[in-house]
Amino acid sequence: MKTNKESLSWDNLRFDLEPWLKNAIHSLEYPTMTPVQASTIPLLSGNKDVIVEAVTGSGKTLAYVIPVLQKVSKVLYSVPEGEDRPETLKRGHVLAIVMAPTRELSKQIQMVFDKVLGYLPEEMTPVIKTQLLVGSLGNVRGDLEFFQQHQPQILVATPGRLLDFIMSSKYVKTSSLEIVVLDEADKLLDFSFETDVVKILKQLPKQRRTALFSATISAAGDTIFRTGMNNPVKLQVKTKSLMGELNNSAPTSLQLSYMMIDPEYKLTTVLQMLHSFVFKKVIVYLPTCSFVKHLYQMVTKLVDTQELKFFSLYGQLSTKSRLKTLESFIEGNDDSTKYVLVTTDVAARGIDVPDVDLVIQMDPPLDPNVFIHRCGRTGRANKVGRAIVMLNNDTQEEDYVGFMEVKNIFMTKMEPPRNPNHDKFYKDVRKYILEDRARHELAVKSYVGFIRYYSKHIASSIFRMASLDYLAIAKMYGLLRLPKMPESKYIDNAQMPQDGWLGDVIDMDQYAYADKLQEKSRLESLKKDKLTKAATAKRRKELKAKNEAWSSKTDKKEAKLERKEKLKRKREAIEKQLIQEDGRGGANDDDDDDDETKEDWKDMIRKNKQEKKKRKKKNDSAVQGSFDDL
Ligand code: ADP
Ligand code: MG
């Protein structure tokens, strides 16, 4: 679809929206539509199912929020006066559902709805209301009470809680549903959500509209057919590359770079960037929750945070604190402060913080599609943004750049800035870690978590376990000692530090938790362990002695008996032969056979003896040989 600035005027929208909605849009501070809005709103407000792929930050949310409000308004406000209210207006009927993969994103979507609804004239009743349904923010019963009391027509939800909610009560009626939207649809249709999403869709009436949105919808593949769409229109809004071709998968306002770096220096280089780069807000993506915790705790203790304000966000936190953290990060607007959000992929998709102008990825994500989403947290709505990914030196990781080019993601190389305080920082880290055993445990957990993470990369030919520098990584994480794990086999024998110690050896028994209770229970179990160990060792010693005595005695006795028996049998056999020989008195030609048998027998004994000797010799030399081989 061809669009230019003029045709992007809201007045040129090719659909006649409800008057209040038109006014609301004019009151929002968006002078023009974005291309994705211009093409999606008319289709979705009409009677089409849509699949929309448009780059990050291109305004997809409003591209469905307006059609949803249009449809809901139509149902609510188009009842001619004097007529009976139709079924849809009776209590408990939901008219629209929007699903999203994370709680933060659901909350943000609800806020976009509520922002537009802020312009709904007071006289329009019933008032259009939204309800947020996300995990661990209250319970389903509370959600139901809210629903009954406020009668929201629009639900914004993560799939798990929505399913529980719909199933929990006959009071929630979906039979009048007009429209269902799946934001970040490829994520909602991947293995983590698909079952719940499909179950929900089955509960909804067939004649509803369905709309899927994402910057990477193609990743969903055939699963989109499980959504029961009706002859959908596929809209693709790409941006121009510098060469003018319409093929970029990332917005043009976003500058993408990568750096090749020794893993040992990754963390201090990130800190260097935070200190020396000019930016307002940055999101730093880390591979695991543990590392987010570990890094956040370290920096708040060890880094001069005068101009930097750190926030940490990860899945294990409670929903309340997740939403609050994100809110504070969004609200931060002190000009002399740089805001730093340290997070995992929980904040990779959809999150819209307009003044994020830098994204740093300490490692690429497992799924190459997520790379696009992480970078897309900056450079939104035509604002300039910069995204940097760190790749490990001396691995195949530089191939990632070419691999992403195939997906129309183009990066330029940059030199990592060196941190002059690297050594001092790690001296401080060691001191910090030694102050509390729990800190080391968290560091180890982060390291182990990273190794597990690395092994799960989809592009496994680029991210090879065998080429990682494990020692450097362990040092970067601040470990005192390498944990025992199978991947250590990749460490060169010559480089493997004795007993895994990365610095001076410390006495682990003396290494205490700062938490008094935890330390008390550690000491108690240490004491118990020592006692059990001593008892086990003693018992083992006793048993060994007993067994040895018993076995050697019986062995000796048995061997003696056996030898005696053998000798006896041999003697008897020989005697028998000799008697027979004597008795015959001479060779009988007819008895040639017998003579031969006798000879054979004697021969056999001789041969056996010789062979036994040979075997013994061979074995001895084999043993020697095996030592030579070592
Ligand atoms: P996407 O979902 O495509 O990643 P969002 O819907 O989150 O993008 O929108 C990105 C940003 O663009 C938001 O801050 C939003 O307020 C802004 N935005 C939306 N529509 C417009 C518009 N028509 N003009 C200018 N900015 C817009
Ligand atoms: Mg979005």
Side-chain angles (χ1 to χ4, degrees):
M1 182 173 301
K2 209 171 177 300
T3 45
N4 56 42
K5 267 266 166 329
E6 203 163 302
S7 67
L8 286 177
S9 154
W10 285 104
D11 296 329
N12 291 338
L13 185 72
R14 281 170 296 116
F15 190 89
D16 197 19
L17 295 171
E18 294 280 303
W20 83 264
L21 204 46
K22 270 195 230 171
N23 290 336
I25 287 169
H26 282 292
S27 310
L28 295 171
E29 281 148 20
Y30 301 138
T32 58
M33 304 180 268
T34 66
V36 69
Q37 291 161 358
S39 44
T40 310
I41 296 172
L43 290 167
L44 194 53
S45 307
N47 220 14
K48 290 284 180 208
D49 283 356
V50 295
I51 302 173
V52 182
E53 184 168 78
V55 294
T56 48
S58 57
K60 294 187 287 293
T61 319
L62 216 52
Y64 62 77
V65 164
I66 292 172
V68 166
L69 291 174
Q70 166 66 23
K71 282 184 177 295
V72 173
S73 307
K74 197 134 189 275
V75 173
L76 294 182
Y77 308 133
S78 307
V79 189
E81 241 171 84
E83 263 185 39
D84 268 358
R85 290 195 145 196
E87 181 72 11
T88 44
L89 293 186
K90 291 193 182 140
R91 292 182 72 81
H93 280 269
V94 178
L95 300 180
I97 288 176
V98 178
M99 278 184 256
T102 64
R103 301 162 195 183
E104 289 81 1
L105 182 53
S106 305
K107 172 80 190 159
Q108 184 185 293
I109 294 166
Q110 186 195 30
M111 282 163 68
V112 176
F113 270 108
D114 290 351
K115 193 172 166 190
V116 183
L117 285 170
Y119 299 99
L120 184 73
E122 265 173 35
E123 64 274 15
M124 299 196 72
T125 51
V127 177
I128 302 176
K129 286 182 195 156
T130 60
Q131 181 173 1
L132 182 69
L133 297 166
V134 296
S136 73
L137 198 67
N139 55 22
V140 179
R141 231 182 48 217
D143 288 340
L144 266 175
E145 276 166 22
F146 182 96
F147 182 77
Q148 281 174 308
Q149 194 184 341
H150 297 274
Q151 295 293 311
Q153 303 87 349
I154 302 168
L155 304 179
V156 185
T158 49
R161 176 56 73 93
L162 178 64
L163 185 64
D164 290 347
F165 181 75
I166 291 177
M167 298 301 196
S168 67
S169 163
K170 285 211 164 61
Y171 187 81
V172 183
K173 297 190 175 63
T174 52
S175 59
S176 314
L177 195 98
E178 286 280 315
I179 180 167
V180 61
V181 177
L182 271 60
D183 198 354
E184 304 296 343
D186 54 325
K187 181 69 195 166
L188 289 175
L189 292 170
D190 85 0
F191 62 92
S192 40
F193 290 106
E194 192 196 354
T195 322
D196 282 355
V197 170
V198 170
K199 267 189 208 157
I200 292 165
L201 292 176
K202 277 194 180 141
Q203 298 295 313
L204 309 180
K206 280 210 172 69
Q207 66 277 18
R208 58 145 208 272
R209 295 278 60 83
T210 307
L212 312 186
F213 287 82
S214 176
T216 52
I217 196 83
S218 352
D222 287 347
T223 44
I224 55 170
F225 297 115
R226 300 202 64 191
T227 54
M229 296 187 105
N230 196 356
N231 202 12
V233 180
K234 195 164 180 200
L235 296 167
Q236 231 174 357
V237 185
K238 297 245 171 185
T239 59
K240 280 189 187 138
S241 72
L242 292 174
M243 315 296 284
E245 297 147 6
L246 271 174
N247 65 354
N248 256 16
S249 298
T252 30
S253 56
L254 175 57
Q255 183 206 333
L256 302 172
S257 348
Y258 72 97
M259 63 170 71
M260 299 307 300
I261 183 168
D262 291 338
E264 193 174 340
Y265 296 98
K266 270 180 158 174
L267 179 53
T268 45
T269 302
V270 168
L271 296 175
Q272 182 61 23
M273 288 193 275
L274 298 185
H275 281 299
S276 62
F277 284 17
V278 178
F279 66 90
K280 193 165 168 47
K281 285 183 188 171
V282 59
I283 303 185
V284 181
Y285 285 102
L286 305 185
T288 62
C289 290
S290 312
F291 192 26
V292 174
K293 261 192 262 181
H294 179 43
L295 191 144
Y296 180 76
Q297 287 176 14
M298 269 197 293
V299 292
T300 41
K301 284 261 177 205
L302 305 176
V303 171
D304 171 18
T305 49
Q306 241 182 2
E307 55 150 17
L308 296 172
K309 183 156 176 48
F310 285 91
F311 300 84
S312 74
L313 185 71
Y314 49 95
Q316 292 161 1
L317 293 170
S318 74
T319 304
K320 245 197 189 136
S321 86
R322 271 167 61 173
L323 296 177
K324 211 171 153 232
T325 300
L326 193 61
E327 212 180 295
S328 329
F329 179 64
I330 291 172
E331 279 170 1
N333 68 351
D334 176 11
D335 281 343
S336 56
T337 306
K338 296 191 213 170
Y339 297 87
V340 185
L341 177 68
V342 187
T343 187
T344 61
D345 280 336
V346 76
R349 281 176 181 262
I351 303 299
D352 181 55
V353 184
D355 40 8
V356 168
D357 44 4
L358 180 64
V359 163
I360 298 174
Q361 305 184 51
M362 266 184 85
D363 288 279
L366 299 180
D367 177 350
N369 286 307
V370 175
F371 183 85
I372 296 172
H373 292 281
R374 284 178 171 187
C375 296
R377 291 322 96 211
T378 182
R380 301 176 72 72
N382 282 326
K383 284 202 183 107
V384 176
R386 182 172 186 193
I388 298 165
V389 62
M390 303 175 113
L391 301 172
N392 289 322
N393 264 337
D394 302 321
T395 61
Q396 297 287 318
E397 288 186 24
E398 198 160 3
D399 290 354
Y400 191 66
V401 179
F403 174 76
M404 290 309 287
E405 273 174 19
V406 179
K407 294 177 174 290
N408 293 322
I409 293 289
F410 303 93
M411 296 179 239
T412 47
K413 191 168 181 168
M414 66 178 278
E415 279 310 307
R418 273 201 87 81
N419 188 329
N421 296 322
H422 175 88
D423 293 340
K424 156 121 187 21
F425 178 76
Y426 275 101
K427 233 186 218 166
D428 293 348
V429 167
R430 189 177 166 86
K431 216 172 125 211
Y432 159 90
I433 296 260
L434 283 171
E435 276 165 17
D436 183 358
R437 193 185 177 103
R439 291 176 182 168
H440 191 245
E441 281 174 2
L442 187 57
V444 172
K445 219 171 151 194
S446 311
Y447 169 79
V448 173
F450 168 74
I451 308 288
R452 299 268 170 276
Y453 174 90
Y454 201 83
S455 71
K456 289 188 198 135
H457 268 293
I458 291 178
S460 56
S461 58
I462 296 174
F463 302 97
R464 297 183 189 172
M465 299 304 287
S467 40
L468 277 181
D469 185 345
Y470 291 85
L471 291 178
I473 293 165
K475 282 181 194 162
M476 189 272 281
Y477 278 97
L479 264 62
L480 302 173
R481 187 186 192 179
L482 280 177
K484 278 187 190 140
M485 60 193 295
E487 284 76 8
S488 300
K489 71 176 179 230
Y490 295 121
I491 303 172
D492 201 26
N493 267 339
Q495 288 195 329
M496 188 66 169
Q498 180 141 23
D499 292 330
W501 290 105
L502 293 163
D504 293 341
V505 178
I506 62 156
D507 181 353
M508 287 307 276
D509 284 356
Q510 300 291 324
Y511 191 12
Y513 288 108
D515 183 273
K516 289 221 167 67
L517 269 178
Q518 206 177 3
E519 178 57 11
K520 196 176 157 215
S521 91
R522 182 188 78 89
L523 289 175
E524 273 163 14
S525 50
L526 187 71
K527 206 167 152 193
K528 234 187 251 166
D529 270 6
K530 273 191 179 156
L531 286 175
T532 0
K533 246 186 213 160
T536 322
K538 199 177 156 206
R539 176 105 189 96
R540 197 174 285 151
K541 213 169 158 190
E542 282 169 8
L543 272 174
K544 204 177 158 199
K546 210 168 159 189
N547 278 343
E548 249 174 17
W550 184 81
S551 64
S552 64
K553 251 186 232 163
T554 44
D555 275 1
K556 273 181 206 158
K557 235 187 220 171
E558 273 173 15
K560 215 170 169 183
L561 268 175
E562 209 171 295
R563 262 203 311 277
K564 246 185 185 171
E565 280 289 300
K566 227 180 187 173
L567 273 173
K568 203 176 149 196
R569 280 201 301 273
K570 228 185 220 172
R571 215 172 21 242
E572 278 172 4
I574 293 171
E575 273 167 9
K576 209 171 153 192
Q577 289 294 324
L578 289 175
I579 291 163
Q580 277 174 0
E581 246 173 81
D582 287 349
R584 261 194 227 132
N588 185 321
D589 286 343
D590 293 332
D591 284 327
D592 271 359
D593 272 1
D594 242 328
D595 277 339
E596 266 177 28
T597 318
K598 190 179 63 196
E599 270 311 308
D600 279 350
W601 188 82
K602 278 186 181 169
D603 232 344
M604 208 172 72
I605 293 179
R606 238 192 342 265
K607 266 188 197 156
N608 267 349
K609 270 188 183 161
Q610 276 170 358
E611 247 160 31
K612 235 184 194 168
K613 255 189 197 163
K614 257 195 226 162
R615 236 181 288 145
K616 193 169 177 279
K617 227 176 165 178
K618 205 173 155 192
N619 275 347
D620 288 346
S621 66
V623 171
Q624 271 174 13
S626 70
F627 277 117
D628 285 345
D629 290 341
L630 277 175

